[in-house]
Amino acid sequence: GRYHAVVFGNNSYRDGGYPTLKSAANDANAVAELLRSRYGYETTVVLNGNRLEMLSALNDMREKLKPEDNLLIYYAGHGEIDAKGQGYWIPVDGGAKATGSWISNAQVSDMLNTIAAK
C-alpha cells in the first residue's frame, strides 16, 4: 500500500486568547518534507487551518484511502484539555472559551476509525 500523511501546523490564531506561535507551521513543513523525501509519503499539509479545513483534510483521506494504505497524522498548534480530561486541537478560528469551535481528540479518533487505511 501507499503511505499518506496529513500534517497540520497552526501558528496564527484569530482569538486573542491564543498567542501566535512561532514554529508550528515550520515544524509541520519540516515533518512533511522529511516524510516525503526520506520515506516516500504522499503528504497533505494544512497550515493555519480553520475547523472546516482541518476536518475536510481528514475526510478527504476517508474517501481516497484503501485498506492496504497507511496514514500518519501530525498536529502542531495550540491544544486544550477540558475539566473532564478530554483533549482538543485548536483550529485557527477556535475561540479560547468556545469548546464547540475546537476539535476533540475523540472526534479525530472517530474519523480515523472510518478510514480504511492502517
Side-chain angles (χ1 to χ4, degrees):
R2 300 170 303 163
Y3 288 82
H4 295 267
V6 179
V7 180
F8 300 101
N10 289 347
N11 274 356
S12 302
Y13 290 82
R14 297 177 194 157
D15 187 304
Y18 293 111
T20 298
L21 297 173
K22 294 184 173 148
S23 63
N26 288 340
D27 290 351
N29 281 325
V31 166
E33 177 55 31
L34 178 72
L35 290 171
R36 271 193 300 271
S37 63
R38 187 173 292 174
Y39 300 104
Y41 275 73
E42 294 177 40
T43 60
T44 300
V45 178
V46 178
L47 299 178
N48 296 312
N50 64 36
R51 190 173 197 282
L52 179 61
E53 291 166 335
M54 293 174 71
L55 293 173
S56 293
L58 294 174
N59 190 61
D60 290 347
M61 293 296 117
R62 182 177 66 166
E63 294 177 359
K64 86 185 228 184
L65 299 186
K66 310 233 179 304
E68 63 272 12
D69 294 328
N70 301 278
L71 177 62
L72 182 144
I73 306 293
Y74 176 91
Y75 174 73
H78 283 294
E80 291 280 358
I81 298 176
D82 68 15
K84 296 180 181 177
Q86 172 63 50
Y88 295 87
W89 298 358
I90 309 302
V92 297
D93 58 347
K97 304 268 188 231
T99 59
S101 66
W102 304 346
I103 300 170
S104 73
N105 291 341
Q107 186 175 15
V108 173
S109 291
D110 287 347
M111 288 187 81
L112 293 177
N113 287 336
T114 67
I115 297 173
K118 300 181 238 29

